[in-house]
Structures are given as C-alpha cells and as structure tokens.
Amino acid sequence: MMLSLPRWAAIAASLLLLSPRAIAVPTLGDVELNGGPLAARADDGWHWVATWTSMPQLVESSNMPPSPFVCTTISSTSPSGGGVFKDATLRQTLHLSVGAERLRIQISNTFGGSDLPITAASIALPTGGKAGVAGIDTSTLKALTYNNGSASITIPRGQVAYTDPIDFTVAAQANIAISIYSQAGQSGSSITGHPGSRTTSHMQSGNRVSTATLSGGANTKHWYFLSAIEAWSPPTTHALVILGDSITDGRGSTDDGNNRWPDLLIARLQQKATTNLNLSHIAVNNQAAGGNAVLSGGLGPTLLTRYKRDALQVAGVKYVMVFEGVNDIGGGGTDSGTQNGLGSRLQQAFQQIAADCKAAGLKTIGATITPFGGSGQAYSNPTREQTRVKVNEWILKSGTFDATVDFGGLIGDPSVKSQLARQYDGGDHLHPNVAGYQAMADGFPLGFFE
C-alpha cells in the first residue's frame, strides 16, 4: 500500500524508537517550510527516497585520511590528540540510482568522538560525469545549506544532519560530487566513514568547495561523513536496501568503476525500464561493509544491531534484502558444536529481521551465502561448508522471506559446490570478480518488484 506523507512521517518517527542511537530525521514541517515544489507536491504523495547510501561505521586507524589531513598532535583544541580535515576541503563522488530534480544530503557523525563542524559545502556534477575524479563542472555548482539557509552547521557527536533540499537535476545512474570544508576540523581520532568505497576521494588545504579541480593535496579510496543522498520522488518510487558484507560492498570490483553487483543491478533495472517503466523507479541502496558479521565480531556494527538503522529507517524503503553470514560461519570454530550453533543463530537472526521488516510493511528477499572453499582461503573447511549448506537450504525453503535468490548456486561451481566457479572467482576463493558480480545482478529476480 502506498503511504501518504503524514503516515510516512509517523512511521519514520516511530522507527526512531527502535534504534539504539537517535538519528535526526526532518519532520514534515521541516519539508513544508522550504516551500516551492516540495510544499506544492505534499498532497500528491511525493516523498523522500534514498537514491544512494553508505553504511556508516567507525573508521579504523588504518583507514584514516592521509597526512597532512590527519593530525596526532595534542593541542588546546584537541587535548586528547588527533583531528582530521582541519582547514581542508574533502571532495567525494557518489553514484546515484534513480534520478531526481531535488536532493538532500545526510551527513553522519554517528561514530564521531566530538562534534563535527562544517563551514561550507557544495554539490556539482563531476568532470566528465565520472566517479573518483578531482574536478567538477562549475556550471552545475551549487552551495549546500542547513536549517533553512545557514551555510554552516555543527553536527553533535552521535547524530546525523540533513542539508536543506536543493533543486539539482540528476539522471538515473549519475555521479555527483559533494565538497565539504571544515575550518576547525573534527577533533580527536574517532570519526564516521565508510572505508570500502572503491572510489577515490580528494582533499586539499583551504576552502576549495567551489574550486574546479583539487590539486596538490592527497587522495584516498575511502568515504567520510556522507551516509545518504535522498531524492524527492513521486509515489511510484521506492527504495531497495541491501544488507550485506564485503561481497555486496564490492571487494573485487574495479576502483572508480561502479561495478559492484548492486551497481550492475541498477544498470539492469534502468535498461529493463525501457519496456517496464515500474523498474525505473526502484532506488538501489548498498548498506554493506567489508568484514561485517550478523551475530558478533567482524567490522562495523553487527547486522543485528544495525538493521533497523540501515534498513527500516532508510527514506522511501519498500524492499529489504538480506545477504550476509559468511563472516560468521568463516570466523567461527570448525568443531561441529560451534558450527551447529552458528547455523541455528543465523536462522533466528534472519527470522527476526524479516519479521520486523514485514511488521513495517516491507517486502523481504533472502540470498544464499556464496561458496568460500579452496586452497589458501582461511574460511575453507568441510564443517563450515556444512553450515553454509544448512543455512542456505533454510533460506530457500523456510518461507521466512517473501522471495529468495540463490546467489550460491548462481556463481558456485556446479561440480564442486563448495567453491566459486572458476570464471567468477576473484582470486581468493571468497570474493567474486566483476564477471561474478554481473552474474549476480543478472540473476536477481526482477519479479520481486511486481
């Protein structure tokens, strides 16, 4: 059932109670105060839909910005030492799914150890429309504002903030460039980001948010602070959220190539939209992180502690996919008792996630865990393989999810089912290559959206 804006706002507000950390979501009043097309369309069921997301996590020390954009010196403004992006501009490119004429940007300080001051920010199309470039098309440049027109904002630790909505036309699958300048920088050594961006971010000293090309600074393949881009969309547009680990995060894909399997699914949806217009209105959101686990350990918050934030609270969400568990199985002991316990607890976790999604009126799809057997792969073990098979059979046959996709079968070796097919093996017997990611995108059941 399509939700009207007042009902959508009420649900969004109630979902905040499910999260262990408060997340700032603008109310309908915030939207209407901006007037213009937003207010005019409020009665038509238009709503915010996430067209890009990046799972926020605490940035590990090895993934902090390169020198000189990170500091370890103790000072009066940073008595505990550390600090990032002081008097520096950070430019990042993001690959959107659906197009729009109006956007807003969510900036996260969820894991920051201190307040995050932003002095200025801008949006533009990147040079040549490409990902990972340092330049922008200045003819498309616009300043970003907050709180109905303020050029700057300080985001409290543990919180997120939105920019004001901005009229900015983008096509489906477009790349955009967001530039952020902080005069004071963020103090301390705890910041929010997404290490597995597979996309080059650029930085330069000084306020360069309007500069055509950043040069003479540094670059790194991580994202920082940005957690969502939302598109003001008609009622027919909805979001698919994919909860996953490094396989969905794109390890084995091409840097700056936007060829993770969710990116390739976006391309397939837009291609098929020439004959099925409904598919052009599906926004695909990648809420995965390398090393993530469902139950415990791993990198970033576990799936059980983050799925409400990363799925149920995503703007415009209608579909949720769960494709995770390999790090739990592969990181667990090889004795049968441990593995049997892991298998049962994974099933219980998936049941809980699916039940909460369904209670919120969302459709769910479960994906089988892909093979990880092979010489030199630390996860490879016969007992662990038994758990993978057991969990996969349950995913496919239990009826827990509204739909399923057998990724394990799609890219597994038909003759040695514990291993990836050779043509899809990225080299470590765990992560697919781009051909494998293409096979996954091609095998996704588009009927799920009907």
Side-chain angles (χ1 to χ4, degrees):
M1 179 186 302
M2 184 186 71
L3 300 178
S4 66
L5 271 176
R7 177 66 174 152
W8 173 86
I11 289 177
S14 67
L15 287 178
L16 293 181
L17 301 176
L18 300 175
S19 175
R21 301 182 72 104
I23 296 181
V25 176
T27 65
L28 257 189
D30 295 328
V31 174
E32 291 169 344
L33 282 174
N34 288 282
L38 248 59
R41 294 170 180 167
D43 293 334
D44 298 333
W46 282 60
H47 61 159
W48 289 110
V49 177
T51 182
W52 173 89
T53 55
S54 172
M55 192 203 98
Q57 61 190 102
L58 177 66
V59 176
E60 305 96 329
S61 58
S62 59
N63 292 320
M64 293 290 279
S67 179
F69 300 96
V70 62
C71 176
T72 58
T73 303
I74 295 175
S75 68
S76 58
T77 58
S78 183
S80 59
V84 296
F85 298 119
K86 182 176 182 180
D87 187 30
T89 298
L90 169 66
R91 177 168 292 168
Q92 305 175 94
T93 60
L94 319 169
H95 185 61
L96 308 185
S97 48
V98 296
E101 295 179 1
R102 177 166 279 204
L103 302 172
R104 68 179 183 183
I105 294 88
Q106 185 190 82
I107 306 171
S108 176
N109 193 24
T110 301
F111 297 96
S114 62
D115 293 349
L116 172 61
I118 296 175
T119 310
S122 69
I123 183 173
L125 295 178
T127 302
K130 296 181 179 179
V133 296
I136 57 173
D137 178 354
T138 54
S139 69
T140 66
L141 180 70
K142 291 190 175 184
L144 294 172
T145 59
Y146 316 86
N147 299 320
N148 293 307
S150 175
S152 62
I153 189 172
T154 296
I155 306 173
R157 56 182 298 185
Q159 300 295 310
V160 304
Y162 280 91
T163 66
D164 292 329
I166 185 169
D167 291 327
F168 192 87
T169 300
V170 288
Q173 303 185 78
N175 293 306
I176 63 170
I178 304 294
S179 302
I180 297 173
Y181 169 67
S182 178
Q183 184 176 37
Q186 184 166 23
S187 62
S189 56
S190 296
I191 67 170
T192 304
H194 188 86
S197 68
R198 280 46 169 176
T199 307
T200 307
S201 297
H202 299 267
M203 51 210 74
Q204 186 178 351
S205 296
N207 185 349
R208 311 287 181 180
V209 298
S210 301
T211 301
T213 301
L214 300 191
S215 60
N219 63 74
T220 187
K221 290 180 174 59
H222 307 305
W223 282 317
Y224 303 101
F225 310 129
L226 302 179
S227 50
I229 307 295
E230 296 177 6
W232 186 240
S233 304
T236 52
T237 301
H238 301 285
L240 163 69
V241 171
I242 305 168
L243 300 170
D245 49 39
S246 58
I247 296 174
T248 298
D249 205 26
R251 182 167 177 177
S253 63
T254 308
D255 288 344
D256 299 322
N258 288 323
N259 51 16
R260 315 163 189 82
W261 80 260
D263 299 318
L264 299 172
L265 176 60
I266 294 169
R268 183 178 173 221
L269 287 168
Q270 293 299 320
Q271 180 184 31
K272 294 291 185 181
T274 58
T275 56
N276 185 346
L277 292 178
N278 290 333
L279 297 179
S280 67
H281 299 297
I282 304 299
V284 178
N285 291 274
N286 191 332
Q287 292 281 55
N292 198 237
V294 176
L295 303 169
S296 62
L299 297 178
T302 63
L303 184 60
L304 272 180
T305 62
R306 72 180 179 90
Y307 74 89
K308 293 175 182 177
R309 178 197 73 180
D310 291 346
L312 275 68
Q313 294 175 1
V314 170
V317 63
K318 184 176 180 179
Y319 312 99
V320 176
M321 180 174 190
V322 179
F323 175 38
E324 198 162 338
V326 68
N327 292 317
D328 297 85
I329 296 172
T334 57
D335 61 286
S336 59
T338 297
Q339 286 297 315
N340 285 335
L342 279 170
S344 296
R345 287 188 291 132
L346 283 172
Q347 293 171 18
Q348 293 167 4
F350 296 154
Q351 284 178 320
Q352 176 183 329
I353 295 169
D356 283 347
C357 288
K358 290 178 182 180
L362 310 179
K363 287 185 64 176
T364 60
I365 182 168
T368 58
I369 301 167
T370 50
F372 48 79
S375 176
Q377 173 49 244
Y379 285 2
S380 182
N381 177 271
T383 308
R384 290 172 175 155
E385 172 63 11
Q386 290 173 8
T387 304
R388 186 185 76 88
V389 171
K390 173 185 174 182
V391 173
N392 283 352
E393 289 180 349
W394 178 88
I395 289 171
L396 294 172
K397 298 177 181 179
S398 69
T400 298
F401 299 99
D402 294 307
T404 60
V405 56
D406 187 9
F407 279 164
L410 277 171
I411 62 173
D413 187 330
S415 59
V416 186
K417 294 186 178 180
S418 64
Q419 298 181 12
L420 293 171
R422 182 173 299 178
Q423 69 268 31
Y424 298 141
D425 192 336
D428 64 359
H429 311 309
L430 172 62
H431 298 95
N433 55 21
V434 174
Y437 288 141
Q438 186 67 66
M440 293 167 66
D442 290 343
F444 187 97
L446 299 186
F448 177 60
F449 301 119
E450 296 177 353

